[in-house]
Amino acid sequence: MSKRQRLLPGMRKVTLASGAVRYEVTLDAGPDPVSGRRRQTRKRYATLDEAVAAHAKITSQVDEGTYVARSPITVDRACADYLAGRHNLRPTSLSKLAYDLAPLRERHGDLLLQSLTKRHIDDLVKDLRAGGTTTARGRTRRPWSPAAVNKVTATISQILDDALEQGFVARNVAAGVDRVPAVHKAMDTYEPTEVKRLLAAAAADRNGHAWHLALSGLRRGEIAGLRWVDVDLGAGSLTIANNRTSAGGVTVEGDPKSSSSRRTLPLTGPLRAALDAARVRQKRERLALGADYGSGEYVVSNEAGDPYNPAVLSRYWADVAKSAGVRHIRLHDARHTAATTMHLQGVPVAVIAAWIGHSDASFTMRVYAHSQNDALRDAATVLGAVVTGL
């Protein structure tokens, strides 16, 4: 039987100008995932055996709906389309997602999505950990933490899962990328004596009311996004209704982090006094600047009446800790301090969870209920007294 007779439907023998023989396979490849139109796949092979094997594989994949034809979609286009389709995300979450994808788009944006390999992602992970990658604005990145790098890998995997579902790629090459081991880092909190010293320093700080808010359990984004319209000094309460966050130098506002994050809290006496003083001070600044003063809408704002970039608050927090002569902990750790203080004073965990905006009290217990040195010493004293009395 001749080779001619072995040709399957959709196959033909092609003789090139050089005299070389190729076997061309042209098959129906099913509907295009973008346009929905029928499409064909055509490719030439050096031997008949290769062509027959390809014919069988393509036919089987088309029947199963798993065939992936060549696509002109680039990495950047895939990222942009994925972001555009995340209709369920808050603006702040969408901004963070875009931030996590930026290193991939900057380095491999022009690459065909189907050409993206595991090695591309592995090299990106290594370089982000080492530091020195360059942003679209020409800035040099510092080394990223394991948690930050792992978010990048997870986000790339989400993009590829979406592309796989749409039929643009044959597999998710990010699925096999190892996550960077995270170094255990205990959450740090202030002890009561340190809180007193810091608030004493805050009394002389223009943004002292911001540190009262931090030590009352508010997130950084909640402090930056708090507006005077959400504060009722007469009733002695404030409502968390706005979140102001920053990712990659871009500040975005939106709803609070979750439904449980939207909450109304009573003002403590010191916090109420600090907010009242800040309100008076901002009114004086408005009078001094006149028409040049900003909106004055935000509780924590600069002398010109404009809100701060959240990252600026972290820098100012470090400054006030230094002036107070206390060790520096993250601004977010002030929130941990509030939760831990309430826990050590016997406040029920469910109440603490509601105060700091958690929907799950068990999560609050796991994450925020830290025992400080004084509490451990007290526990040792109690245990020692019991053991001694046996």
Side-chain angles (χ1 to χ4, degrees), residues 188-201 215 324 326-327 329 333-334 336-338 340-345 370-378:
D188 211 354
T189 57
Y190 280 140
E191 297 186 11
T193 55
E194 293 175 300
V195 172
K196 290 178 181 178
R197 290 172 62 183
L198 191 137
L199 289 180
L215 289 165
V326 298
R327 58 199 167 90
I329 62 175
D333 288 330
H336 304 334
T337 298
T340 301
T341 300
M342 287 189 282
H343 175 66
L344 293 176
Q345 294 300 316
H370 316 294
S371 293
Q372 296 171 312
N373 291 335
D374 287 345
L376 290 173
R377 284 192 289 270
D378 290 344

Side-chain angles (χ1 to χ4, degrees), residues 262-315:
R262 185 182 292 273
R263 60 204 189 277
T264 297
L265 302 175
L267 301 179
T268 63
L271 176 57
R272 187 172 183 171
L275 291 174
D276 194 35
R279 188 65 167 154
V280 171
R281 181 171 54 254
Q282 289 181 14
K283 287 180 178 179
R284 290 200 302 265
E285 292 169 346
R286 178 185 289 275
L287 287 174
L289 280 183
D292 293 329
Y293 194 76
S295 69
E297 178 184 2
Y298 295 84
V299 173
V300 181
S301 57
N302 61 23
E303 294 87 341
D306 297 320
Y308 288 112
N309 180 299
V312 172
L313 292 181
S314 292
R315 293 202 297 270

Side-chain angles (χ1 to χ4, degrees), residues 9 72 79 103 106 122 163 165 171-172 192 204 274 286 339 350 357 368 371 383 388:
C79 291
E106 290 158 3
D122 281 328
E165 185 176 348
R171 63 187 183 281
N172 179 351
R286 178 185 289 275
Y368 291 105
S371 293
L383 179 61
T388 301

Side-chain angles (χ1 to χ4, degrees), residues 328-385:
H328 173 256
I329 62 175
R330 298 177 308 160
L331 179 55
H332 194 73
D333 288 330
R335 173 175 164 82
H336 304 334
T337 298
T340 301
T341 300
M342 287 189 282
H343 175 66
L344 293 176
Q345 294 300 316
V347 176
V349 174
V351 175
I352 299 174
W355 183 281
I356 62 178
H358 282 169
S359 59
D360 184 357
S362 64
F363 177 78
T364 306
M365 174 64 83
R366 268 194 324 272
V367 177
Y368 291 105
H370 316 294
S371 293
Q372 296 171 312
N373 291 335
D374 287 345
L376 290 173
R377 284 192 289 270
D378 290 344
T381 301
V382 171
L383 179 61

Side-chain angles (χ1 to χ4, degrees), residues 229-248:
V229 70
D230 300 319
V231 177
D232 189 336
L233 291 172
S237 66
L238 64 82
T239 298
I240 305 300
N242 188 47
N243 195 38
R244 183 177 171 85
T245 63
S246 176

Side-chain angles (χ1 to χ4, degrees), residues 93 102 110 126 158 203 208 299 369:
S93 298
D110 294 335
K126 179 186 67 176
Q158 291 172 22
V299 173

Side-chain angles (χ1 to χ4, degrees), residues 15 45 63 78 216 222 262 303 321 326 367:
T15 302
Y45 300 88
D63 290 342
S216 295
E222 294 170 349
R262 185 182 292 273
E303 294 87 341
V326 298
V367 177

